[in-house]
Amino acid sequence: MLCWDAIFAPLPGAFFHPFHTAPADLARPDFYTRRASLFDECLAKLGTGEYRDCIRRVFREKFGIQSQFVSWGLFDEQLLEQALDCLSAAHLQASFQRILLDVPNHRSGLPDLIQFWPGEQRYRMIEVKGPGDRLQDNQKRWIDFALHHGMPIAVCYVQWAEDAP
């Protein structure tokens, strides 16, 4: 939501009709460079605290508009506020910058869940693995990235009840 205006900027060749859920050039190598100044403006808000109001504004103005970047049905305003209270601006900035380096490849592999502790203003990302499942390479890269940047992350291995000791 922080970068909505940059992502959906009406650049030549990005949109061919008003019902696109993402720009047509999203997977192109120049996606970021074509919008670099717009993304820089968005990400600069993380250093001032202005990002919170920007995200809230986009939530109110764009709620329900189809987008490949937001699953509106998975959260509400209360959960958004918890996220804003628990996720540090530094962690958001590092994650956004990584994704922007290669949007198609770096969007995949993000952990399945995020757990918030609002009273402590902290969070943890969780990758869930079922019986017989293993970490994929893109998931390992996100885990390594998170650990390198001091982001709390865990892998939860789930077993069927009859398989439990």
Side-chain angles (χ1 to χ4, degrees), residues 64-114:
I65 294 175
Q66 292 296 308
S67 167
Q68 288 186 14
F69 297 93
V70 183
S71 297
W72 297 110
L74 297 180
F75 68 103
D76 57 16
E77 201 164 355
Q78 180 182 0
L79 187 55
L80 175 64
E81 289 301 323
Q82 285 183 354
L84 290 172
D85 287 342
C86 294
L87 297 165
S88 78
H91 290 175
L92 290 173
Q93 179 145 8
S95 297
F96 295 157
Q97 287 174 326
R98 180 176 194 272
I99 291 169
L100 287 171
L101 289 174
D102 184 352
V103 176
N105 289 314
H106 290 171
R107 277 181 55 201
S108 67
L110 280 163
D112 299 307
L113 303 172
I114 188 163

Side-chain angles (χ1 to χ4, degrees), residues 137-158:
D137 289 343
N138 58 354
Q139 294 167 328
K140 290 177 186 177
R141 285 189 292 272
W142 264 107
I143 291 168
D144 290 344
F145 175 83
L147 293 172
H148 177 77
H149 289 279
M151 298 174 181
I153 191 164
V155 179
C156 176
Y157 291 94
V158 179

Side-chain angles (χ1 to χ4, degrees), residues 12 18 22 29 40-42 47 60 73-74 86 111 116 127 131 148 159 165:
D40 290 347
E41 280 181 43
C42 297
R60 285 189 310 273
L74 297 180
C86 294
F116 296 125
E127 179 60 43
H148 177 77
Q159 296 179 340

